[in-house]
Amino acid sequence: MAQRINRSINSRPSKGGKIKDPLASTFPLTIIAGKIARERLAAEGWQPHLFQAMVGASGGAKLLGLGHLDRFLFGDFLQRSHHPMELYGSSIGSWRHAALAAPDPAQAIETLQDRYLNQTWQENETRNLTEVVDGLCEWVMDGLLSPGTAAHITQQKRFTTHIATARGRGLNNSNNRGAVALGMACAAIANSIDRKFLAHGFQRAMFSSGASVAFEFRDFDTVHVPLSSTNLRSALLASGSIPLLMSGRRDIPGAPQGQYWDGGIIDYHFDFNNYAGNGLVLYPHFTDSITKGWFDKAIPWRRVRPEVLERLVLIAPSASYIASLPYQKIPDRGDFRRFNQDQRLQYWNQTMERSKLLAEAFDETLNAPNPLAGLVPGR
């Protein structure tokens, strides 16, 4: 990074340039690389062209937990190459990727973060919660999709954008709160029996600006929809539309008719059994674990250990870093209820500022003499 950040934690490289092992509990990042990823990094170093795809998970306010790491990745590291990449995202992951595919990625991700952080409303608000949240999301999207940006995102050749949404079926193909509540309950029960039964309540709808080569979605009924400047905004808003909290999007142009919901319902952290690419996958993530779908969060055996994913490089805040944050966690959607507005804004701003440590730690990883220094080995 152009400017170094002063810090007192003892995770700086030694004079020989070797980064301390993150397992020593002081390094801000946990970086997990699978077997093939480690081999390629060892042979070629941290070269952006190694990464064929990038994945962005659902997580709402958790994007602020990555903060300056995203700014460094989008505005510096990935700009050191001009190779084509495929971007797969659900919910806030798709919003982050839209920023990366924008004309000025560094400015776009900063604008997205600032708008998300600064969502406010009147204390005597008379509208219902769904109207308030829908309005705030529209306001955030106004900042991200400035005039001309949508055409650039959907037509450019370097970054192919893939936005995951969940098209409702049965009771979930509705915007009636009661019907959706019952439909979600049924979907949760069906998913607990077998993930494939979730298809009775939802269909994966992937909005794509080009061919999906890196991922072949074989695990779930999937419809592919061409992404254009006409439907980009609706696809992004649908991808982040949490049932019972937001109103979702209906009959998106160019897509099958129906009600579209949060892509994280199916692709919370994505199912990497669908990965079919030859290159590596870059995954700046909020956690060091991978949970396929939203309903799988309460099912521990559905979690995937990232170290068994051979071509994956996962970068996440370390446990020690998270423990050093206010409230010992990164921001999440519950903060809207947990804090009043002043408390939330103070906490989120503090977390954003501290995330500079994540960017610096990754920069140090890139510049270490040993490309594998500090990485958690895969199998």
Side-chain angles (χ1 to χ4, degrees):
M1 299 172 72
Q3 282 188 317
R4 289 291 174 185
I5 304 163
N6 293 326
R7 60 183 183 174
S8 59
I9 58 176
N10 61 345
S11 59
R12 301 187 69 85
S14 66
K15 291 182 180 180
K18 184 177 180 180
I19 296 175
K20 287 191 175 184
D21 189 329
L23 297 180
S25 79
T26 55
F27 196 63
L29 290 174
T30 294
I31 304 177
I32 301 173
K35 182 177 182 292
I36 293 176
R38 288 173 62 81
E39 291 172 353
R40 297 202 62 183
L41 289 172
E44 302 181 56
W46 282 89
Q47 300 299 325
H49 72 261
L50 295 177
F51 297 99
Q52 179 181 358
M54 186 161 80
V55 172
S58 296
K62 293 176 183 177
L63 94 155
L64 303 175
L66 300 183
H68 284 271
L69 176 61
D70 268 357
R71 295 187 188 188
F72 180 65
L73 288 170
F74 292 12
D76 187 330
F77 178 63
L78 291 175
Q79 303 307 320
R80 301 177 190 180
S81 172
H82 299 288
H83 76 291
M85 286 185 70
E86 295 182 54
L87 310 178
Y88 294 85
S90 63
S91 191
I92 201 64
S94 69
W95 295 22
R96 291 164 56 221
H97 289 174
L100 176 57
D104 185 344
Q107 182 60 54
I109 189 61
E110 182 176 349
T111 298
L112 173 61
Q113 292 167 350
D114 287 346
R115 286 234 167 182
Y116 197 102
L117 190 155
N118 289 295
Q119 297 176 76
T120 58
W121 55 91
Q122 299 297 322
E123 291 188 6
N124 59 350
E125 179 63 65
T126 58
R127 293 176 297 167
N128 65 49
L129 182 59
T130 296
E131 290 180 286
V132 172
V133 177
D134 283 349
L136 289 171
C137 288
E138 293 278 5
W139 177 74
V140 174
M141 198 58 59
D142 287 342
L144 179 61
L145 297 182
S146 55
T149 302
H152 187 276
I153 292 171
T154 57
Q155 295 173 16
Q156 68 146 297
K157 301 301 181 184
R158 183 185 176 194
F159 293 115
T160 302
T161 299
H162 303 278
I163 301 171
T165 69
R167 178 173 174 255
R169 284 176 164 166
L171 293 169
N172 296 309
N173 186 26
S174 169
N175 53 17
N176 177 274
R177 185 177 180 85
V180 173
L182 182 56
M184 289 288 285
C186 292
I189 294 170
N191 181 81
S192 69
I193 299 170
D194 193 311
R195 177 171 156 81
K196 67 182 181 182
F197 293 153
L198 184 60
H200 293 295
F202 296 96
Q203 177 188 42
R204 177 191 285 123
M206 190 68 68
F207 290 79
S208 301
S209 64
S212 179
V213 176
F215 276 79
E216 294 179 1
F217 293 101
R218 298 161 295 197
D219 64 319
F220 210 85
D221 183 23
T222 302
V223 59
H224 294 272
V225 181
L227 184 65
S228 68
S229 57
T230 303
N231 62 20
L232 173 63
R233 184 186 183 100
S234 291
L236 288 170
L237 288 169
S239 189
S241 288
I242 302 169
L244 305 180
L245 179 63
M246 301 170 66
S247 58
R249 307 295 288 193
R250 189 160 194 87
D251 298 341
I252 298 176
Q257 290 187 340
Q259 186 75 12
Y260 289 79
W261 296 110
D262 196 315
I265 294 171
I266 300 170
D267 296 303
Y268 187 54
H269 296 165
F270 284 84
D271 183 350
F272 284 84
N273 289 321
N274 292 316
Y275 189 66
N278 294 317
L280 305 186
V281 182
L282 183 62
Y283 198 171
H285 197 17
F286 315 122
T287 178
D288 60 1
S289 66
I290 296 173
T291 302
K292 294 179 182 179
W294 189 85
F295 290 112
D296 297 327
K297 291 193 296 181
I299 307 176
W301 57 89
R302 296 273 179 90
R303 293 176 187 168
V304 180
R305 289 175 295 159
E307 56 264 38
V308 305
L309 305 175
E310 293 190 333
R311 298 179 185 273
L312 181 69
V313 177
L314 184 146
I315 306 168
S318 67
S320 63
Y321 170 83
I322 292 174
S324 74
L325 295 175
Y327 309 103
Q328 293 75 57
K329 69 177 196 67
I330 63 173
D332 60 62
R333 184 164 51 87
D335 294 340
F336 287 106
R337 301 186 307 272
R338 193 175 290 120
F339 307 111
N340 65 39
Q341 288 198 119
D342 289 342
Q343 291 172 330
R344 175 179 59 82
L345 292 172
Q346 180 183 32
Y347 161 46
W348 283 9
N349 275 296
Q350 289 172 339
T351 303
M352 276 293 300
E353 180 65 20
R354 190 158 179 81
S355 72
K356 291 177 180 177
L357 299 180
L358 302 179
E360 182 177 335
F362 186 62
D363 189 32
E364 291 172 354
T365 300
L366 300 181
N367 292 305
N370 176 9
L372 302 185
L375 272 66
V376 176
R379 289 187 173 183

